[in-house]
Amino acid sequence: MEYGLIGGNLSYSYSKTIHESFGFYSYELLPLSRKEFPEFMEKKAFKGVNVTIPYKREVIPYLSDLDDAAGDIGAVNTIVCKNGKLTGYNTDFSGFRYMLKKNGMEAAGKKVLILGTGGASAAVYAALKAERAGEILFVSRSGRNGALTYEEAKSRHTDAELIVNTTPVGTFPKTDESPLDLAPFTGCLAVADIVYNPAETRLTAQARALNINAATGLDMLIAQAHAAAEHFLERPLPDDLIEKAAARLRF
């Protein structure tokens, strides 16, 4: 395999369609068991791979170098192998920033609630810091490790101006679920939901009904793949490739 995706369950991945729509290489999906994973990393028999759950942190000990974003986030989703040296990147960081820009969502100086404290939330937090967001608060069901509970968010932070969902709540096939009722959040100007299937989640549908700017995660998904492809090929690629891929994935 020259280029592809490694992870656990890859049956719902759109990565092959996205990367091959760019038109530069074939792309494979390679599910790896916990037993198979170390051997794959030690062999280094690839040019570039993307990494998804559950290996975004587990790959780090195998790397010779990390870019700043991956180091700050503590997770890697893109690896380039060159001359036997593995370098790790986190393109979710740039993918989320693209999502904000594409959908006209201004983070600078804004009060932000990040729903969820999993791996994706770290990349979103780093991107929001780079966008010079104001106060950034995490929200989780447990409220552990300094996060707010959902009840605390609803009672004390209804002035949040940007709400970002990094949880899987609302993902196909459980599309009737939503992580949060937006009605009390009267100060909210924008909702970014990184769920990309369905194209409209219950959360974003409610946001639009309340005249709040809203977007789901397809733009982020494709933009992070575009950034990964630039690392693979060691050159910038035209931005219109993102929309070309999006046209193939509209559903």
Side-chain angles (χ1 to χ4, degrees):
M1 179 176 77
E2 289 193 335
Y3 301 100
L5 173 69
I6 63 170
N9 179 12
L10 305 180
S11 60
Y12 296 105
S13 175
Y14 295 117
S15 292
K16 180 177 176 67
T17 300
I18 293 169
H19 280 268
E20 292 188 349
S21 77
F22 297 153
F24 300 106
Y25 45 76
S26 295
Y27 190 92
E28 299 179 39
L29 303 180
L30 183 63
L32 294 174
S33 68
R34 290 285 186 179
K35 184 178 179 179
E36 294 167 328
F37 169 70
E39 182 180 1
F40 175 84
M41 294 303 299
E42 288 162 5
K43 280 187 174 180
K44 305 178 184 178
F46 59 86
K47 292 182 179 179
V49 292
N50 292 120
V51 184
T52 191
I53 296 169
Y55 301 124
K56 286 188 174 186
R57 299 186 189 275
E58 283 83 347
V59 296
I60 293 176
Y62 297 93
L63 307 179
S64 300
D65 198 11
L66 286 174
D67 77 338
D68 290 342
D72 291 343
I73 294 163
V76 166
N77 75 336
T78 300
I79 302 173
V80 173
C81 181
K82 186 174 183 181
N83 301 322
K85 175 184 175 181
L86 301 182
T87 302
Y89 305 89
N90 191 301
T91 63
D92 288 334
F93 171 83
S94 56
F96 183 69
R97 295 184 77 182
Y98 176 89
M99 178 184 180
L100 293 178
K101 181 179 178 181
K102 169 78 180 294
N103 292 284
M105 297 181 179
E106 178 63 57
K110 299 293 191 296
K111 182 174 182 176
V112 185
L113 296 182
I114 299 177
L115 310 183
T117 55
S121 69
V124 166
Y125 177 79
L128 288 167
K129 294 291 286 185
E131 292 289 326
R132 306 184 311 282
E135 186 178 11
I136 305 173
L137 301 168
F138 288 92
V139 185
S140 73
R141 286 176 295 180
S142 70
R144 289 195 295 265
N145 300 317
L148 302 165
T149 65
Y150 282 87
E151 282 303 312
E152 288 171 333
K154 186 171 68 173
S155 64
R156 294 162 37 197
H157 299 284
T158 55
D159 59 340
E161 296 160 286
L162 171 62
I163 296 175
V164 184
N165 178 40
T166 70
T167 78
V169 177
T171 303
F172 179 86
K174 297 181 179 180
T175 57
D176 60 340
E177 297 180 357
S178 178
L180 187 74
D181 177 12
L182 294 171
F185 294 87
T186 54
C188 188
L189 302 173
V191 171
D193 189 342
I194 71 168
V195 170
Y196 55 84
N197 184 6
E200 180 84 293
T201 62
R202 185 172 177 183
L203 181 68
T204 58
Q206 184 188 20
R208 294 185 206 282
L210 295 170
N211 294 315
I212 298 171
N213 185 14
T216 48
L218 188 61
D219 290 325
M220 177 180 173
L221 177 72
I222 298 172
Q224 65 80 23
H226 181 270
E230 292 183 322
H231 289 306
F232 293 163
L233 300 172
E234 298 184 277
R235 59 186 174 90
L237 299 175
D239 285 346
D240 62 8
L241 291 177
I242 298 175
E243 192 51 46
K244 176 183 175 183
R248 295 185 63 176
L249 286 173
R250 300 293 182 198
F251 43 76

